[in-house]
């Protein structure tokens, strides 16, 4: 029984490390938008150009919303609970939870990443 437990634990550790390695690679926006239901509610990492960054606050808490675009015209909305120092055209990496659709008042927001981190990889391209 003890040997089985060690084998199971080893398998879980190896499997878990594979998941961590694979999650560090960015997901193509095309893959995300072709199968949004597959990624709904899941942690994703995407890269692209920041477009139309908008800043506001809700109940005194600042937030940033911007579009993340790839070179082929695909776009995903990014939402983050902080004021990010972004400029139009910055190339960024975003990690967060993908939401296929959510209701905010009378509006339905589709294909949004609720950012946990946004990192500028290069500025204004």
């Amino acid at each position: 029984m003890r040997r089985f437990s060690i084998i199971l634990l080893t398998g879980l550790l190896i499997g878990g490390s594979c998941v961590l390695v694979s999650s560090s690679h960015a997901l193509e926006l095309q893959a995300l938008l072709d199968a949004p239901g597959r990624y709904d509610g899941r942690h994703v990492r995407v890269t692209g150009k920041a477009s139309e960054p908008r800043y506001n606050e809700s109940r005194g808490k600042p937030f940033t919303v911007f579009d993340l675009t790839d070179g082929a015209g695909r776009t995903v909305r990014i939402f983050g609970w902080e004021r990010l120092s972004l400029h139009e055209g910055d190339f960024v990496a975003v990690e967060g939870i993908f939401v296929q659709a959510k209701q905010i008042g009378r509006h339905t927001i589709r294909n949004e990443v609720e950012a946990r981190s946004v990192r500028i990889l290069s500025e204004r391209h």
Side-chain angles (χ1 to χ4, degrees):
M1 182 66 172
R2 185 166 195 258
R3 182 176 177 175
F4 176 74
S5 297
I6 292 172
I7 292 171
L8 179 62
L9 180 60
T10 303
L12 289 172
L13 290 173
I14 291 171
S17 65
C18 291
V19 169
L20 291 175
V21 169
S22 67
S23 69
S24 67
H25 299 299
L27 181 64
E28 297 288 329
L29 290 187
Q30 179 175 353
L32 187 61
L33 295 172
D34 284 350
R38 177 178 179 196
Y39 299 100
D40 190 33
R42 300 186 79 181
H43 183 268
V44 297
R45 181 176 187 270
V46 290
T47 59
K49 285 187 181 181
S51 177
E52 301 180 27
R54 301 166 301 280
Y55 309 101
N56 212 330
E57 55 180 61
S58 175
R59 299 182 184 137
K61 190 171 182 180
F63 67 87
T64 303
V65 177
F66 64 96
D67 294 328
L68 185 74
T69 62
D70 65 9
R74 289 176 283 270
T75 301
V76 172
R77 179 182 161 136
I78 308 296
F79 174 89
W81 278 113
E82 58 186 276
R83 188 176 199 302
L84 302 169
S85 296
L86 287 177
H87 297 94
E88 182 77 24
D90 286 351
F91 190 73
V92 299
V94 177
E95 292 190 44
I97 304 299
F98 178 74
V99 179
Q100 183 178 6
K102 70 179 179 182
Q103 201 70 32
I104 298 181
R106 298 184 330 222
H107 304 283
T108 301
I109 307 297
R110 297 191 188 286
N111 299 328
E112 179 180 81
V113 175
E114 296 176 358
R116 301 290 192 259
S117 79
V118 177
R119 194 168 43 118
I120 297 174
L121 302 175
S122 62
E123 295 181 357
R124 298 182 191 164
H125 279 98

